[in-house]
């Protein structure tokens, strides 16, 4: 009898059951035969990533071919981290061979990234040009706006939805596979009168994408689902993989579930991991039904393993969190527990208003800092971005540095979009959005000239030649010739990546100096982009993967100099998912904020708001403060006054649940804290001091 593998010894019994599901040692079978479907319900802080990494490693160690394992995560960085963990675990058994095996784990990535690869592989069989480029959300919105303008919808008598709203409606229809009338009625009622115009707009938007040979994020899933709807192709693609593992399954949408079921209709070899209690992205089309209904989706019911041991929070925090989620209307039952005992309960802090809430949080943050906690170990979470405005003013007044998550992303910065447009236009000369941006970087070239060029390229059999022969305005001729030369070099078949990036960077930096006063700060981002480029094998791969999974850095992150090394974290709850901090403060825990008054139209929306509060609470490791302002001041267009409304504690914390919390009223708490912070000063005899100055 062989000893049990030591690399599994650190797992708790539930984690081990998930890891070993259907896997036999290589001594008992040459390769592990795929077992029936497995659903791992991984509670917050329960070691989900560690469990999934051990399962992949356990498969490889016991003979599974890593080239036949498909692992899908929700970010490329998560996939890379998963691969690193798999190698570390496998190395304990396989030694140096582990690196070779995990290098062969080539099919680890995001749904969108895997979809893009398969669509290129099968492009000709489904009527696609494999040289397609991919639009990010901003480019997609810009193209939507261009079509909107061409159809005359930007000059309607009544307010027509903006480009961002139009794209969101389109995306919701595609990802949820829902008719536009239903989407408008449920989520955008004020747009319901524009249904026929929006349908017309989306028809022309799709036509524009096809003419330009571009795909947006939604196409990557929709076309992949179409690919899987062909039984022969679905069987062929499914047969490429013995094992299919999906992380964060609660965040999948209808199309993603449809793809998974088409690839593995029997469920053999399928493992999905997630937590229905953390399903909070319905605004992206995700549906909690995918994970709730998963056990019954196959002929053979899925085995369900629940991870309830929490490695993050103290027991009092878990007891409060468990009480909140236990009231959910429908869920996979679980009760988180931990060995981390503590006497301090989660706090419900009652404060007079938002201004006093900001003061209380600032005081608490500084108090924790004086006690030895870094600012980075503390976070302030909120339902909507604008909820933090009073706090931001208070932090600035007290010189407390902070970083707010949910701001400008790397690829949304204008200078990065410029460089990416140059490369995309070289990769796909029929991409009007990339070309429109790229050619207007030339001084003297405006929208009319850019449109004239792109029309000529669209009509030409050789768009590259059309650009070279184009006659620009006289004032732009010299600079234009430099762009034309760059474009020719970028399309030289003998050019080896990442030389393309260096050429684009060299041409763009003088334009950067001309366009931006803070060019030196922005230059750091361009250099960062060039460093990123070196990690990819080709221009096509770089453009695809960076668009699908952009880094978070922006120019205000790379500069200015002298930024404090320590800073407080401010974040929306949605952006905080997957993170953890020693102390967490949740703002505005009142009805109207959590749940948002914009998300109480249906029972499904209310249930998601409950899960949102649960996600916020389970980010805390040692201290959790839910802050309840009593009144909110209402701004008025004219006149003075202090008009305000009163707010009640969030409905998700009932009177019965308050036993799980320590309830604190701010003035009383503040009096104690003030006496702790400020020793009583001696009385100063000012008149005596004044006389003594002259003696």
């Amino acid at each position: 009898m062989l000893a049990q593998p030591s690399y599994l010894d650190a797992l708790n019994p539930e984690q081990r059951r998930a890891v070993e599901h259907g896997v036999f040692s290589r001594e008992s079978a040459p390769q592990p035969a795929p077992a029936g479907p497995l659903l791992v319900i991984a509670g917050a802080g329960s070691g989900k990533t560690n469990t999934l990494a051990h399962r992949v490693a356990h498969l490889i160690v016991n003979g599974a071919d890593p080239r036949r394992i498909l692992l899908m995560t929700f970010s490329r960085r998560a996939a890379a981290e998963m691969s690193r963990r798999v190698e570390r675990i496998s190395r304990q058994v396989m030694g140096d061979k582990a690196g070779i095996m995990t290098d062969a784990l080539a099919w680890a990535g995001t749904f969108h990234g895997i979809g893009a690869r398969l669509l290129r592989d099968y492009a000709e069989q489904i009527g696609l040009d494999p040289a397609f480029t991919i639009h990010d959300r901003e480019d997609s919105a810009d193209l939507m706006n261009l079509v909107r303008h061409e159809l005359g919808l930007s000059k309607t008598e009544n307010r027509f939805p903006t480009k961002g709203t139009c794209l969101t409606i389109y995306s919701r229809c595609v990802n949820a596979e829902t008719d536009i009338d239903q989407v408008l009625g449920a989520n955008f009622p004020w747009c319901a009168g524009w249904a026929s115009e929006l349908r017309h707009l989306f028809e022309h938007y799709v036509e524009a994408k096809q003419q330009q040979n571009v795909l947006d994020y939604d196409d990557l899933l929709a076309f992949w689902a179409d690919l899987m709807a062909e039984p022969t192709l679905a069987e062929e693609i499914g047969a490429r993989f013995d094992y299919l593992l999906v992380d964060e399954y609660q965040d999948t949408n209808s199309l993603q579930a449809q793809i998974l079921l088409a690839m593995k209709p029997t469920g053999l070899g399928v493992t999905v991991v997630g937590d229905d209690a953390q399903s909070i992205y319905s605004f992206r089309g995700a549906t909690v039904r995918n994970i709730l209904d998963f056990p019954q989706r196959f002929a053979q019911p899925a085995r369900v393993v629940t991870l309830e041991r929490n490695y993050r929070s103290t027991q009092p925090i878990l007891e409060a969190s468990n009480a909140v989620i236990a009231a959910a209307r429908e869920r996979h039952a679980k009760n988180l527990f931990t060995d981390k005992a503590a006497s301090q309960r989660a706090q419900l802090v009652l404060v007079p208003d938002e201004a006093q809430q900001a003061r209380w949080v600032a005081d608490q943050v500084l108090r924790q800092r004086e006690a030895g906690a870094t600012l980075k170990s503390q976070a302030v979470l909120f339902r909507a971005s604008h909820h933090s405005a009073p706090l931001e003013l208070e932090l600035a007044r007290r010189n407390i540095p902070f970083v707010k998550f949910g701001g400008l992303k790397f690829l949304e910065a204008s200078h990065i979009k410029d460089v990416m447009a140059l490369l995309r236009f070289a990769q796909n000369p029929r991409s009007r959005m990339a070309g429109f941006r790229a050619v207007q970087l030339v001084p003297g070239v405006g929208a009319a000239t850019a449109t004239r060029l792109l029309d000529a390229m669209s009509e030409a059999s050789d768009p590259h030649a059309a650009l070279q022969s184009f006659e620009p305005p006289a004032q732009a001729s010299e600079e234009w010739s430099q762009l034309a030369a760059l474009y020719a070099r970028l399309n030289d078949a003998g050019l080896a990546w990442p030389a393309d990036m260096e050429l684009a960077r060299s041409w763009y930096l003088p334009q950067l100096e001309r366009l931006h006063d803070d060019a030196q700060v922005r230059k750091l981002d361009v250099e960062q982009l060039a460093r990123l480029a070196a990690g990819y094998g080709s221009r096509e791969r770089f453009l695809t993967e960076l668009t699908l999974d952009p880094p978070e850095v922006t120019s205000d992150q790379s500069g200015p100099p002298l930024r404090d090394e320590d800073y407080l974290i401010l974040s929306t709850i949605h952006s905080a998912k997957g993170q953890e901090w020693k102390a967490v403060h949740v703002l505005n825990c009142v009805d109207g904020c959590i749940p948002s008054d914009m998300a109480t139209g249906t029972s499904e929306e209310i249930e998601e708001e409950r899960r949102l509060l649960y996600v916020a609470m389970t980010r805390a490791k040692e201290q959790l403060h839910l802050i309840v302002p009593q009144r909110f001041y209402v701004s008025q267009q004219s006149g003075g006054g202090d008009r305000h409304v009163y707010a009640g504690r969030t409905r998700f914390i009932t009177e019965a649940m308050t036993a799980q919390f320590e309830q604190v009223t701010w003035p009383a708490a503040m009096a104690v804290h003030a006496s702790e912070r400020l020793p009583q000063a001696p009385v100063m005899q000012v008149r005596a001091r004044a006389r003594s100055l002259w003696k």
Side-chain angles (χ1 to χ4, degrees):
M1 184 85 179
L2 293 172
Q4 292 291 338
S6 60
Y7 64 91
L8 300 181
D9 290 348
L11 301 176
N12 66 43
E14 292 75 22
Q15 291 174 330
R16 190 155 183 161
R17 277 197 289 274
V19 168
E20 294 182 321
H21 170 71
V23 182
F24 307 97
S25 69
R26 61 168 65 240
E27 282 75 16
S28 61
Q31 279 195 359
L38 171 66
L39 169 62
V40 181
I41 298 297
S46 63
K48 168 183 67 69
T49 302
N50 189 45
T51 301
L52 188 55
H54 272 82
R55 176 154 178 78
V56 176
H58 194 54
L59 288 169
I60 293 173
V61 165
N62 286 285
D65 185 347
R67 295 167 299 183
R68 297 181 58 80
I69 295 176
L70 174 57
L71 172 62
M72 288 188 283
T73 65
F74 270 76
S75 76
R76 185 168 52 85
R77 289 180 295 280
E81 172 60 22
M82 190 75 71
S83 296
R84 285 192 291 270
R85 290 198 188 199
V86 169
E87 180 178 353
R88 287 198 298 269
I89 297 164
S90 304
R91 192 174 291 277
Q92 297 179 45
V93 177
M94 306 176 73
D96 293 340
K97 187 181 177 183
I100 300 172
M101 297 298 285
T102 51
D103 284 346
L105 194 63
W107 290 93
T110 65
F111 263 98
H112 292 87
I114 298 297
R117 288 179 64 182
L118 289 172
L119 289 176
R120 290 194 198 280
D121 287 349
Y122 290 88
E124 295 180 358
Q125 294 169 263
I126 57 174
L128 276 181
D129 179 347
F132 64 79
T133 52
I134 301 170
H135 272 181
D136 62 18
R137 300 302 290 188
E138 279 295 310
D139 286 334
S140 298
D142 288 343
L143 180 57
M144 182 74 76
N145 199 42
L146 180 64
V147 177
R148 177 175 170 270
H149 180 71
E150 290 174 347
L151 295 177
L153 296 173
S154 57
K155 296 181 180 180
T156 54
E157 183 175 338
N158 296 320
R159 178 175 60 127
F160 190 78
T162 63
K163 63 179 183 180
T165 302
C166 291
L167 183 64
T168 301
I169 294 169
Y170 171 83
S171 184
R172 180 71 66 89
C173 292
V174 172
N175 284 289
E177 297 185 292
T178 305
D179 181 75
I180 187 171
D181 292 316
Q182 185 176 341
V183 169
L184 294 179
N187 305 105
F188 303 89
W190 70 270
C191 300
W194 295 106
S196 62
E197 289 85 355
L198 285 167
R199 189 176 278 108
H200 187 55
L201 170 63
F202 297 161
E203 177 186 350
H204 283 76
Y205 171 67
V206 169
E207 185 64 32
K209 287 189 295 180
Q210 294 181 2
Q211 288 177 354
Q212 298 177 36
N213 195 30
V214 297
L215 274 60
D216 61 22
Y217 285 173
D218 304 314
D219 291 328
L220 296 175
L221 295 183
F223 289 0
W224 187 5
D226 290 342
L227 176 65
M228 302 306 294
E230 169 53 48
T232 304
L233 294 177
E235 184 178 356
E236 179 181 331
I237 294 171
R240 295 173 69 164
F241 306 105
D242 296 325
Y243 295 93
L244 196 162
L245 304 96
V246 183
D247 194 12
E248 304 285 10
Y249 193 66
Q250 78 280 347
D251 295 333
T252 54
N253 59 37
S254 174
L255 282 175
Q256 289 164 322
Q258 181 180 319
I259 288 166
L260 182 145
L261 292 171
M263 289 187 72
K264 294 293 179 184
T266 65
L268 293 177
V270 174
T271 298
V272 301
V273 182
D275 182 7
D276 56 288
Q278 298 185 68
S279 178
I280 59 174
Y281 294 117
S282 66
F283 65 92
R284 296 179 185 169
T287 171
V288 70
R289 298 263 32 118
N290 284 349
I291 194 166
L292 289 175
D293 298 341
F294 182 85
Q296 289 77 45
R297 297 301 292 268
F298 305 96
Q300 176 184 355
R303 181 183 184 188
V304 180
V305 176
T306 304
L307 307 183
E308 297 178 295
R309 181 182 294 274
N310 179 282
Y311 296 94
R312 174 187 298 154
S313 307
T314 62
Q315 189 61 38
I317 290 174
L318 293 181
E319 288 169 358
S321 303
N322 287 336
V324 167
I325 202 62
R329 185 183 62 183
E330 186 179 4
R331 68 190 185 107
H332 287 292
K334 60 183 171 299
N335 194 51
L336 299 182
F337 67 93
T338 184
D339 295 330
K340 294 172 65 176
S343 58
Q344 183 175 351
R345 289 179 290 169
Q347 286 189 339
L348 275 175
V349 183
L350 187 68
V351 297
D353 53 40
E354 286 184 289
Q356 305 292 6
Q357 174 178 245
R359 287 181 55 196
W360 190 90
V361 170
D363 283 349
Q364 187 72 15
V365 164
L366 290 178
R367 189 174 302 110
Q368 293 298 322
R369 182 174 176 271
E370 289 303 313
T374 62
L375 294 177
K376 285 182 182 178
S377 69
Q378 305 177 65
V380 183
L381 307 183
F382 30 87
R383 171 63 178 85
S385 183
H386 66 271
H387 288 175
S388 67
L391 176 61
E392 291 177 47
L393 293 174
E394 182 71 12
L395 295 174
R397 187 180 71 81
R398 299 207 197 183
N399 197 28
I400 301 174
F402 64 89
V403 169
K404 185 175 180 180
F405 287 90
L408 190 67
K409 301 294 190 296
F410 187 73
L411 292 188
E412 293 171 3
S414 62
H415 48 294
I416 297 301
K417 290 181 72 68
D418 290 343
V419 179
M420 295 293 284
L422 285 168
L423 295 172
R424 285 198 184 103
F425 191 39
Q427 184 73 15
N428 179 8
R430 301 203 184 276
S431 175
R432 289 185 74 92
M433 297 313 301
F436 196 71
R437 187 179 192 103
V439 299
Q440 288 189 79
L441 293 172
V442 176
V445 173
T449 301
T451 300
R452 187 160 55 88
L453 167 69
L454 296 171
D455 287 343
M457 293 179 69
S458 177
E459 295 166 2
S461 58
D462 184 352
H464 300 289
L467 183 142
Q468 297 300 327
S469 62
F470 182 74
E471 290 292 333
Q475 70 270 24
S477 58
E478 182 178 347
E479 293 278 357
W480 179 264
S481 63
Q482 295 177 19
L483 177 66
L486 170 68
Y487 194 74
R489 289 291 310 280
L490 291 175
N491 284 282
D492 182 350
L495 190 67
W497 178 262
D500 319 38
M501 171 60 76
E502 183 56 34
L503 288 171
R505 189 182 75 89
S506 298
W507 181 86
Y508 179 69
L509 287 180
Q511 318 306 324
L512 184 67
E513 297 281 352
R514 175 175 57 83
L515 294 168
H516 299 286
D517 293 335
D518 57 347
Q520 284 303 113
V521 171
R522 294 174 184 262
K523 183 181 177 182
L524 296 174
D525 279 346
V526 177
E527 292 173 351
Q528 171 69 3
L529 189 68
R531 286 192 291 272
L532 287 171
Y536 296 85
S538 67
R539 184 170 67 195
E540 176 268 309
R541 188 75 179 268
F542 170 75
L543 292 172
T544 296
E545 296 201 13
L546 204 68
T547 300
L548 294 178
D549 191 25
E552 298 294 321
V553 181
T554 60
S555 59
D556 102 315
Q557 294 280 350
S558 55
L562 306 180
R563 170 184 282 278
D564 290 82
E565 292 183 359
D566 194 17
Y567 44 81
L568 180 67
I569 304 298
L570 272 56
S571 175
T572 62
I573 301 172
H574 285 102
S575 296
K577 186 171 173 292
Q579 305 298 314
E580 60 181 39
W581 294 275
K582 180 178 178 180
V584 169
H585 315 278
V586 186
L587 301 184
N588 295 349
C589 294
V590 299
D591 260 30
C593 295
I594 305 177
S596 167
D597 54 9
M598 302 295 289
T600 55
T602 66
S603 59
E604 288 79 12
E605 289 178 318
I606 294 172
E607 287 302 303
E608 179 158 325
E609 293 290 302
R610 185 195 311 279
R611 296 192 294 267
L612 200 60
L613 178 59
Y614 174 78
V615 166
M617 294 173 68
T618 53
R619 302 309 95 197
K621 297 165 70 175
E622 297 178 12
Q623 297 180 34
L624 173 63
H625 309 280
L626 306 186
I627 310 168
V628 184
Q630 287 184 287
R631 60 181 179 266
F632 290 78
Y633 288 93
V634 181
S635 61
Q636 301 181 68
Q637 295 297 321
S638 61
D642 64 344
R643 182 173 170 236
H644 58 267
V645 295
Y646 285 94
R649 184 182 66 228
T650 174
R651 71 188 70 179
F652 301 136
I653 300 177
T654 64
E655 192 61 35
M657 294 177 194
T658 57
Q660 305 293 341
F661 295 85
E662 177 188 354
Q663 299 188 62
V664 176
T665 302
W666 181 78
M670 196 61 197
V672 173
H673 295 153
S675 65
E676 292 174 352
R677 187 170 64 254
L678 299 174
Q680 185 65 42
V683 176
M684 179 180 289
Q685 298 294 336
V686 293
R687 290 181 296 176
R689 176 180 174 278
R691 289 194 301 269
S692 68
L693 289 175
W694 305 104
K695 288 184 178 178

